[in-house]
Amino acid sequence: MAAPTLNRSLGRWDLIAMGVGTIVGAGIFVTTGIAAATKAGPAIVLSFVLAGAICALVALCYSELASMTPLSGSAYTYTRGTLGEVPAFLVGWNLLLEYAVAASAIAIGWSGLFGATLDSLFGISLPKAISAGPSDGGVINLPAVLIVAVLIGVLVFEVKLTAAVVKTLVAVTIGVLVLVIAIGAPHVHPGNWSPFLPFGVHGIAAGAALAFFAYLGFDVVATSAEETRDPRRDLPWGIIGSVVVATALYVAVSAVLTGVAPYSTLGNAAPVATALAAVGAGWIGKVILVASVVALTKGLLMVCYGPTRLVFAMSRDGMLPKALSHTGSRGTPVRLSLLLGTVVAVVAGLLPIGTVAELVNIGALFAFLIVALGVLILRRTAPDRPRPFRVPFLPLVAVGAIAGCVWLATTFEALTWLRFVIWSAAGVAVYLAYGRRHATAAPEAPAPDTSTGIPSATTPADTADLPASAALPAGGVA
């Protein structure tokens, strides 16, 4: 019986939109202000430059491995082909936690913004009983549950529908951000940028580490490899392009915000509205609320999409129960989408979610570091293997990506490291109890997409370029 595969229907602009849609979420309306007020001050601009630069280095490494291994699973799939099953399982296990926690947190944030928008525009206040979990004085956070249900409904249809929805919402978000920049730029007062480094140089790194919560988006692009029509050509564009576009937007918005208002006033849930209200543009507060809801919607859609493709790859490889890799008539993992959607909805509807950015970030940095290391290893162990996209200036780029990830990880608190270790230990236990006994070689890349005339990632004449996890022994490096 052939291994289940996904339909290839995404193009270059679909991928860039999906990446930007995940990275440029409500974080640009909230995180920019909080990071400026508590971490970096006006130097938050440099924090986003630093985060973007490190992510660009990692994105180059992702692009090489993604073009060589056009299958779902992103960092998990790459790691299995370079370092073996155990590190791969840990990478996938930590990415799964990041996606699940992030999705639940975003759903709760969406509920809060949705309630604020209803109150601001129509004077409707949702009863606490249906807008908060039990620990917050309510019964269930119904808006959070419903938005997850709606987005999972989108995901179970063809992925092309998901991409179309995301592109529309990205266009709306970017339009609002351009409006924010255009309104705020004439009112920038250079005096607000002094002192530029109120928290010192360390504040730049701390701000960059917080920003990594948003940059998980380009890993979502990598998870779509098996649904991309021409992954060798388009995946590098999608991964690198989304990082570049998102970084430019974050830098521009944060520069305007800290130039319009003192950085110390931006540490609230609506820093963009706060800053523009200070220059007499308070009317835009309502626009920002609507735009934030839109931004969270597309961000949540992509963060729900990511783990479905990650677990699909892990279960198809036997690391998790194979039943989870079943695909429906539209070529999407319906069963898996419904299961993960239920978990996210229950957590978002009933449990309180505190500060999760650091827990998400440490796992992401772990995955990014392993991917960069994987590029170096494969260049040595498989130098003749075809590489449709090659990382330039090796080993400098990969070493720079590794060093950047390590540097940012040093800014995390001890409790964050403890949680990471506990979750990883749980992952080792799951692997030993199930994954080790059921793991199989990853499937070969799908056949060419004859409906579009575009060649797939692997053709009969290109047997040297099989998926990394199929080409190398399951236990480790060849």
Side-chain angles (χ1 to χ4, degrees):
M1 178 178 175
T5 59
L6 302 172
N7 290 339
R8 292 191 181 275
S9 57
L10 300 177
R12 179 178 303 179
W13 292 107
D14 295 318
L15 298 178
I16 293 176
M18 290 167 71
V20 172
T22 311
I23 299 172
V24 184
I28 200 167
F29 296 104
V30 180
T31 303
T32 48
I34 294 174
T38 64
K39 301 289 185 180
I44 186 62
V45 174
L46 298 184
S47 294
F48 283 118
V49 171
L50 175 60
I54 294 174
C55 282
L57 296 178
V58 176
L60 289 171
C61 297
Y62 259 76
S63 296
E64 176 165 314
L65 296 184
S67 68
M68 295 170 65
T69 314
L71 293 171
S72 288
S74 68
Y76 155 75
T77 299
Y78 313 150
T79 303
R80 192 175 182 202
T82 55
L83 298 178
E85 283 184 6
V86 178
F89 189 92
L90 287 177
V91 166
W93 185 253
N94 278 287
L95 284 175
L96 177 59
L97 174 66
E98 293 157 29
Y99 279 124
V101 172
S104 300
I106 293 171
I108 293 172
W110 186 95
S111 174
L113 279 173
F114 179 71
T117 302
L118 286 180
D119 186 39
S120 176
L121 297 182
F122 308 109
I124 299 175
S125 296
L126 295 177
K128 194 166 188 178
I130 62 169
S131 60
S135 63
D136 291 327
V139 176
I140 186 173
N141 193 331
L142 189 59
V145 173
L146 292 179
I147 188 60
V148 171
V150 169
L151 296 184
I152 291 298
V154 172
L155 287 178
V156 299
F157 284 89
E158 288 189 74
V159 71
K160 194 67 178 176
L161 173 63
T162 301
V165 171
V166 170
K167 281 192 288 189
T168 301
L169 299 181
V170 165
V172 172
T173 304
I174 291 179
V176 172
L177 292 176
V178 170
L179 179 63
V180 167
I181 295 169
I183 292 174
H187 298 281
V188 167
H189 188 276
N192 287 326
W193 290 332
S194 181
F196 189 69
L197 289 167
F199 299 95
V201 175
H202 177 77
I204 297 176
L210 184 62
F212 253 76
F213 181 81
Y215 280 100
L216 185 63
F218 75 83
D219 184 83
V220 171
V221 176
T223 65
S224 69
E226 201 167 324
E227 293 167 286
T228 302
R229 290 193 295 266
D230 190 352
R232 294 177 173 180
R233 181 193 65 187
D234 292 339
L235 275 175
W237 275 92
I239 293 170
I240 299 171
S242 60
V243 170
V244 171
V245 172
T247 300
L249 288 171
Y250 271 103
V251 168
V253 170
S254 60
V256 168
L257 291 189
T258 54
V260 166
Y263 73 88
S264 59
T265 67
L266 301 176
N268 56 67
V272 177
T274 298
L276 295 183
V279 297
W283 58 271
I284 202 173
K286 297 183 186 298
V287 176
I288 295 301
L289 277 174
V290 175
S292 297
V293 172
V294 170
L296 249 72
T297 302
K298 63 179 175 51
L300 180 57
L301 177 59
M302 286 293 90
V303 173
C304 288
Y305 167 86
T308 62
R309 273 49 181 180
L310 170 65
V311 176
F312 170 83
M314 295 179 71
S315 61
R316 184 173 60 182
D317 288 353
M319 297 285 198
L320 295 173
K322 281 186 173 292
L324 296 177
S325 64
H326 173 77
T327 55
S329 60
R330 297 182 177 88
T332 58
V334 177
R335 185 182 301 169
L336 177 56
S337 298
L338 293 175
L339 174 61
L340 289 176
T342 300
V343 172
V344 171
V346 169
V347 172
L350 300 177
L351 300 180
I353 301 294
T355 302
V356 299
E358 286 195 356
L359 184 58
V360 172
N361 286 342
I362 193 170
L365 288 171
F366 174 67
F368 294 168
L369 185 151
I370 294 298
V371 167
L373 184 62
V375 169
L376 293 176
I377 291 174
L378 272 186
R379 285 289 186 95
R380 179 175 291 274
T381 61
D384 298 326
R385 188 171 166 187
R387 288 169 169 79
F389 177 88
R390 296 178 68 90
V391 176
F393 307 114
L394 272 186
L396 291 179
V397 168
V399 171
I402 292 171
C405 290
V406 171
W407 182 27
L408 295 185
T410 61
T411 66
F412 297 138
E413 297 178 355
L415 183 58
T416 300
W417 281 99
L418 178 61
R419 290 168 177 164
F420 173 73
V421 170
I422 292 174
W423 178 254
S424 296
V428 171
V430 172
Y431 171 76
L432 292 176
Y434 184 90
R436 182 177 61 173
R437 293 185 293 109
H438 295 85
T440 60
E444 297 183 5
D449 186 348
T450 55
S451 65
T452 62
I454 298 174
S456 72
T458 306
T459 64
D462 196 16
T463 55
D465 197 17
L466 292 175
S469 51
L472 296 177
V477 179

